[in-house]
Amino acid sequence: MEPPVRLALVRRALWPHRRNAEDTARQPHYSWSIVSDLLGINHLTLSTTDLDRLVAYYTELLGATLAFERAATSSHPRIAAVDVGGNDHLMIVETAEAPTTDPDPLGNAGWGLRVGTYARLSAVRESILGAGWPVGQIETLPAQWTMTARDPDGRPVDVRAHRPVPPDSTSRRPADPGGSSR
């Protein structure tokens, strides 16, 4: 698909209610290069009533690294940032109110972390279980393996490992070594 076609699809997705020429003339006109310069998600903010407990969960069990912590001030809450790899961070904010633990509209966690291999995903699952926290079974999806854990606040978090794609494959379908689900 050529960039002008993709841009038209993006515009339709962002402004589906605009149908006539006058409405179309008022639409902002974005250059395709703006969209293609994105590198990923910088951070996701989580709230918690116990910052130390949540930081320990993500660092000690899931392998994130504490990037920084800031004490509460009269105008700002206590926060910590944990590096989950690839320049991606969880910003954790301590609040008086408990966070929502509802799943997303599809009934899933709505966000997730990625590990490198099925073996690492299995090891993370065992660590979570060993620490007494809830975590589901590892499921096989077409392009990845996934499990859903619950952090100490009860918030769901998917942890996934992408299935390898054979280097000589003309399709993007991941390998299924030996016909197994791993």
Side-chain angles (χ1 to χ4, degrees), residues 4-69:
V5 174
R6 283 185 279 192
L7 185 56
L9 293 174
V10 168
R11 284 185 180 141
R12 253 185 265 140
L14 293 175
W15 301 283
H17 62 283
R18 294 184 173 168
R19 297 285 182 234
N20 62 37
E22 181 181 317
D23 285 341
T24 302
R26 287 185 293 193
Q27 289 180 3
H29 296 282
Y30 296 110
S31 129
W32 182 249
S33 65
I34 292 172
V35 177
S36 64
D37 286 343
L38 292 176
L39 299 176
I41 294 173
N42 178 269
H43 71 279
L44 174 70
T45 302
L46 305 177
S47 63
T48 185
T49 56
D50 188 339
L51 187 117
D52 295 321
R53 181 184 65 178
L54 202 58
V55 167
Y57 179 85
Y58 286 102
T59 57
E60 295 171 18
L61 285 178
L62 299 182
T65 305
L66 180 64
F68 72 87
E69 188 173 346

Side-chain angles (χ1 to χ4, degrees), residues 137-156:
Q137 296 293 321
I138 295 174
E139 299 175 40
T140 301
L141 302 176
Q144 57 197 336
W145 298 285
T146 186
M147 65 183 184
T148 301
R150 293 269 176 176
D151 73 15
D153 289 323
R155 177 182 14 251

